[in-house]
Amino acid sequence: MDKESDLWETPQWLFEELNTEFHFDIDICANVTNCKVDYWFTDYLATSSSENPFADHWDTAFMNPPYSNPLPFIKKAYEDSVYCKIVALIKADTSTKTWGVFWDYITNKPKPGCGVRFLPKRLKFERGGIPSKNCANFPSAIIIMDRRGIDEF
C-alpha cells in the first residue's frame, strides 16, 4: 500500500514547464489517477534494465518517485538512462544515498550524463490537482539523466 506521503503529486505548473522543455513520452512513477502524460509504467521497478524497458517507444521520461523510498527508483532510472532521458523531481538532500547515485562526491559535480537544477523555492505539492496549503518542508531539485552514448570507465 502507498504511504500517505507518496500520494502527493507534482505541481501542474512545474510539470508543464518541464514538459515544454523536455516533451515527455511516459510518466514512470505514476498511476491512472495521477499520471501527467498518456503513458506510464504500472510497476517501474519490475521492468528489466537488462532489456531496454523503453524500447523504441519512448525518448524522454518524467519521474516523481515515492519520497518514502526514492533510492531504488533513482538507481533504476540511472541505469535506464542509457536508453532514455529521464527527468526526476526529488528532494534536494545531498546527504542521502539517493543523491550519490548521480553525484560524484570526489569532483563535487554530477556524474557524466547527469545534470542538477535546484528549485529556488519550496514546492506546494498537489493532491487531486489541488495544491497543498503549505509548502513542502524540504527543497527540491530536478535531476536530468541522459547517459545515451556515454562510455563509463
Side-chain angles (χ1 to χ4, degrees):
M1 181 167 181
D2 292 326
K3 290 190 173 200
E4 188 69 19
S5 62
D6 293 340
L7 299 177
W8 290 104
E9 303 161 12
T10 305
Q12 189 62 35
W13 67 266
L14 177 60
F15 178 80
E16 288 172 6
E17 192 174 297
L18 293 169
N19 193 36
T20 296
E21 179 179 355
F22 295 106
H23 310 283
F24 298 118
D25 301 306
I26 188 166
D27 189 340
I28 57 179
C29 287
N31 60 43
V32 70
T33 61
N34 67 10
C35 61
K36 299 288 187 181
V37 295
D38 292 337
Y39 299 99
W40 63 91
F41 282 121
T42 353
D43 186 354
Y44 177 58
L45 293 181
T47 63
S48 171
S49 290
S50 61
E51 304 166 18
N52 180 353
F54 298 95
D56 296 322
H57 306 290
W58 302 294
D59 183 57
T60 308
F62 175 72
M63 172 172 147
N64 181 355
Y67 280 40
S68 66
N69 188 21
L71 183 59
F73 292 89
I74 295 298
K75 279 183 176 178
K76 181 158 179 37
Y78 181 79
E79 292 169 9
D80 288 345
S81 69
V82 297
Y83 304 116
C84 175
K85 180 184 293 181
I86 299 176
V87 179
L89 171 62
I90 67 168
K91 285 182 184 179
D93 186 350
T94 61
S95 69
T96 63
K97 289 180 182 177
T98 298
W99 200 263
V101 170
F102 55 84
W103 191 263
D104 183 335
Y105 288 108
I106 304 229
T107 63
N108 201 29
K109 293 187 214 175
K111 291 178 180 177
C114 298
V116 177
R117 297 179 187 172
F118 292 96
L119 297 178
K121 59 183 181 177
R122 294 182 181 196
L123 296 175
K124 286 188 177 185
F125 287 89
E126 298 178 357
R127 188 143 316 146
I130 299 169
S132 169
K133 292 178 183 176
N134 301 311
C135 294
N137 62 359
F138 51 83
S140 298
I142 304 297
I143 309 307
I144 303 147
M145 296 174 275
D146 189 359
R147 300 182 315 121
R148 295 174 288 185
I150 293 179
D151 294 325
E152 295 197 46
F153 312 126

